[in-house]
Amino acid sequence: MTMQAIYDWIDANADECIRDLQTFVRQPSISAQNIGLRDCATLIRDMMRADGLPADFHELAAGPPVVFGHLEARKPAKTILCYAHYDVQPPEPLDAWSHGGPWSGAIVDGVLYGRGATDNKSGVLAFTKAAKAFLAVRGEVPANLKFLIEGEEEIGSPNLAAWAEQNKALLAADGMHCLDGSVE
């Protein structure tokens, strides 16, 4: 089965994907300073739901929620755990930022500027928009997808291990993929 129709859908919907990334980047989510995390988790959960993907909060003992969704393939298939994070590093020094500051989401010469644009808000949307493309073109995904999107990676995920230990069955998968950081 060819992937060309999926690629064509992505090309035809690139403006939507870019607008969503700009919106996502414009939402501060600094785990080291506990700034904007729940608002950012709410934003990504709502974006996923708007794209037809399951997404719910899983509260941690402390810290911001995990956004988790499980999209099942129609036919029996392997399960991939898609890991990403919505938190970012502090943006200081603020005067060092060009193109409108750390939360601008400005596009200059084809480059989107803002904290988290590559680490890791684009990784979050790469997973979710790819799933949306499969649903739009084929009406299904080729594998079971579990989305695990957390908000404390930049401070070492201090509350994730305990949650994962309590949710082993939820996290069970045949493989895991992480889109974190620059892909240059």
Side-chain angles (χ1 to χ4, degrees), residues 30-75:
I30 310 165
S31 54
Q33 299 168 341
N34 196 25
I35 295 173
L37 297 168
R38 183 162 290 274
D39 290 340
C40 195
T42 299
L43 176 64
I44 190 57
R45 180 199 63 199
D46 293 350
M47 285 178 152
M48 288 175 68
R49 288 177 175 176
D51 284 347
L53 306 176
D56 291 300
F57 282 172
H58 284 249
E59 299 294 342
L60 303 178
V66 165
V67 179
F68 190 86
H70 183 186
L71 182 60
E72 293 189 40
R74 287 188 190 158
K75 302 172 194 142

Side-chain angles (χ1 to χ4, degrees), residues 76-148:
K78 300 265 185 190
T79 299
I80 301 170
L81 179 63
C82 305
Y83 169 86
H85 63 91
Y86 58 84
D87 65 317
V88 299
Q89 287 286 331
E92 289 79 13
L94 297 176
D95 61 352
W97 283 87
S98 62
H99 309 298
W103 317 116
S104 74
I107 297 174
V108 179
D109 296 327
V111 176
L112 193 147
Y113 288 86
R115 180 58 89 206
T118 60
D119 184 12
N120 179 233
K121 293 179 178 184
S122 59
V124 170
L125 291 186
F127 284 135
T128 63
K129 295 300 183 180
K132 181 179 180 178
F134 272 94
L135 291 175
V137 173
R138 295 190 183 160
E140 65 180 330
V141 289
N144 299 312
L145 302 175
K146 292 183 177 181
F147 302 99
L148 168 60

Side-chain angles (χ1 to χ4, degrees), residues 151-173:
E152 294 185 313
E153 188 275 344
E154 297 293 359
I155 58 170
S157 305
N159 296 292
L160 188 62
W163 176 83
E165 184 66 29
Q166 295 171 350
N167 290 282
K168 287 181 181 179
L170 184 70
L171 299 173

